[in-house]
Amino acid sequence: MAKRAVIRFAMPFLQASLVKQILCGLILGIVVAMFAPEAARTCGFLGSIFIAALKAVAPLLVFVLVMSAIANQDLETQAHVKPVLLLYLLGTFGAALVAVVGSYFFPTTIHLVASESSMAVPENLAEVVSNLILSVVDNPVHALSTGNYMAILAWAAGLGVALRHAANASREFVADLSRGVEFVVRVVIRFAPIGIFGVVANVVSTTGLAGLAGYVRLLAVLIGCMLFVALIFNPFLVWLYIRRNPYPLTLATLRESGVTAFFTRSSAANIPVNMGMCRRLDLDEGTYSITIPLGATINMAGAAITITVLTLAAANSLSIEFQFGTALLLSVIAALCACGASGVPGGSLMLIPLACGLFGIDQSIAMQVVAVGFIIGVLQDSAETALNSSSDVLFTAAACMRAERIESERARREELINEKLNKQ
């Protein structure tokens, strides 16, 4: 009887959608942290296991997916990759501009706490570009073990191009390997509610719900800019492409991709969720199998907002005035930095000193800004990842829908021409 009662109680939860299960894990984690903090810290081990598993499979997933997609792409099929890349770039640059405007109308200041960190940071844009080039030519084994996604993408693309001319059996093996890795990742994702329960319980028991009280205004500007980009700017870009109401698609991507990315805090780890959504939307597989892994690396609107807002907060704290030209240049630099930011939690923070250098802010002070970024990272990094990952699906779907609309209009024109010719 007791067993049946437990099953009857647990079945609604087990049969619910992944998003609902994640929300249940979130609420349960907060409750445990508030009433049993010692037990909550112990439960944090569950979250550590889950995040470690995601980070372990994500590099291999990107490598195999991109290689398989390029190797097995139909030579006669034109994947709509270029429009998606254009949307990625416009979205990232536009997000930086939104952050500049938001910081201008809602200026924030921060108390710069001394940091004893000795993390190495880039001193100028040339060093960032140099580091990026060096990371691309990294050893593939080392890249997979350290999560160097730029090198992973480069090697996957190179091997994929080479395998396009391989025997059918070789390309089928790569496709089977891709499906096998996807299966493993889907299994890991199914444990997300348990992992998120552990993460939330540990964080709340350690910092408390009021742990971010001193940075409420800064968080409000950051998250406000991200919400504006997610709900206003990105839908506008999509409307320009598909010429119809973009909000059903926008809200669907935020619900299915953004919520999961908010808790995993890793664009790379959210790739299987995005791939599954693209599959359900019946998008062109030759397109999304390339643009989704690529977007996890270069589509970083949230990172651009984080870099811009924290940099301008530092400038305001030091009473440094900035002109429109300087702000525009900051938007360009933030967009470039964001494209090179890592797709893992906190990946954008280490590029903040580069943007601070535009205002002549000393590196030691800039590193204090990075410390503030880690303090508010509990919410900031989650919201940033949700925006980054959900827009990967949004822009991919927009480009595919636009291509379908153009093909439909072309077919309609041809049909009308044929009808006129038949009448004559």
Side-chain angles (χ1 to χ4, degrees):
M1 293 295 294
K3 182 178 180 181
R4 290 182 180 178
V6 172
I7 293 176
R8 190 179 300 111
F9 176 78
M11 283 306 293
F13 172 77
L14 296 175
Q15 294 176 349
S17 66
L18 182 62
V19 173
K20 292 180 180 179
Q21 292 177 0
I22 289 174
L23 291 177
C24 290
L26 167 65
I27 295 171
L28 185 60
I30 294 175
V31 171
V32 173
M34 298 299 293
F35 293 98
E38 291 298 328
R41 294 188 184 95
T42 303
C43 292
F45 183 65
L46 297 174
S48 300
I49 294 176
F50 176 65
I51 297 299
L54 288 175
K55 290 181 179 179
V57 298
L60 183 61
L61 176 68
V62 172
F63 178 76
V64 174
L65 281 182
V66 174
M67 180 175 61
S68 175
I70 295 176
N72 292 283
Q73 184 182 359
D74 188 352
L75 295 176
E76 297 180 358
T77 300
Q78 293 183 351
H80 317 295
V81 176
K82 290 183 179 179
V84 180
L85 293 179
L86 178 61
L87 284 172
Y88 284 170
L89 295 176
L90 288 175
T92 302
F93 178 69
L97 283 178
V98 168
V100 169
V101 175
S103 297
Y104 178 79
F105 286 105
F106 303 98
T108 57
T109 57
I110 53 179
H111 179 66
L112 300 177
V113 182
S115 173
E116 298 179 358
S117 175
S118 59
M119 294 179 288
V121 298
E123 297 181 355
N124 50 55
L125 188 59
E127 186 174 343
V128 171
V129 175
S130 175
N131 292 338
L132 185 63
I133 295 174
L134 289 175
S135 68
V136 168
V137 296
D138 190 11
N139 180 284
V141 177
H142 182 263
L144 286 169
S145 63
T146 59
N148 179 0
Y149 288 97
M150 296 306 296
I152 291 171
L153 284 172
W155 279 99
L159 288 174
V161 171
L163 288 172
R164 288 174 70 98
H165 306 285
N168 290 336
S170 299
R171 288 188 282 116
E172 288 176 4
F173 169 76
V174 174
D176 290 338
L177 181 62
S178 174
R179 287 188 286 269
V181 175
E182 279 193 80
F183 173 78
V184 173
V185 175
R186 282 197 296 269
V187 171
V188 174
I189 289 294
R190 290 308 304 173
F191 288 91
I194 298 174
I196 288 166
F197 161 74
V199 171
V200 172
N202 182 55
V203 169
V204 175
S205 64
T206 302
T207 64
L209 293 175
L212 304 178
Y215 303 97
V216 171
R217 183 178 177 86
L218 180 61
L219 271 173
V221 174
L222 276 168
I223 296 177
C225 289
M226 293 178 188
L227 287 174
F228 183 89
V229 170
L231 299 175
I232 304 296
F233 183 75
N234 283 351
F236 175 71
L237 285 180
V238 172
W239 175 82
L240 291 177
Y241 259 63
I242 65 177
R243 295 295 180 176
R244 67 186 192 197
N245 184 6
Y247 282 99
L249 178 62
T250 300
L251 296 177
T253 57
L254 288 173
R255 182 178 63 252
E256 296 189 32
S257 174
V259 171
T260 307
F262 182 90
F263 293 110
T264 61
R265 300 172 68 191
S266 173
S267 297
N270 209 47
I271 288 175
V273 176
N274 289 347
M275 298 283 283
M277 186 175 183
C278 289
R279 194 176 296 111
R280 289 192 298 275
L281 291 172
D282 197 24
L283 303 181
D284 177 42
E285 185 175 359
T287 299
Y288 71 73
S289 59
I290 296 176
T291 59
I292 293 300
L294 188 62
T297 302
I298 67 171
N299 184 32
M300 294 290 174
I305 291 173
T306 298
I307 293 169
T308 303
V309 170
L310 285 174
T311 299
L312 293 179
N316 289 328
S317 301
L318 299 173
S319 301
I320 299 175
E321 296 183 359
F322 59 92
Q323 305 298 324
F324 174 77
T326 307
L328 184 62
L329 181 57
L330 174 62
S331 299
V332 175
I333 291 177
L336 291 174
C337 291
C339 289
S342 173
V344 296
S348 60
L349 296 178
M350 286 308 300
L351 292 170
I352 290 174
L354 171 62
C356 286
L358 181 64
F359 297 93
I361 298 176
D362 183 76
Q363 290 294 311
S364 61
I365 299 178
M367 288 310 304
Q368 297 175 28
V369 182
V370 175
V372 172
F374 280 110
I375 292 173
I376 65 173
V378 174
L379 291 178
Q380 166 269 324
D381 195 47
S382 296
E384 174 185 315
T385 308
L387 173 60
N388 293 341
S389 191
S390 63
S391 60
D392 292 348
V393 185
L394 180 65
F395 291 153
T396 297
C400 291
M401 290 178 179
R402 179 175 183 269
E404 291 177 0
R405 177 173 61 86
I406 292 174
E407 286 294 330
S408 177
E409 292 176 353
R410 182 182 302 157
R412 192 178 302 114
R413 285 196 301 267
E414 291 178 356
E415 184 178 348
L416 291 174
I417 292 173
N418 290 332
E419 289 180 357
K420 290 180 181 180
L421 292 175
N422 292 331
K423 289 179 180 180
Q424 294 177 356

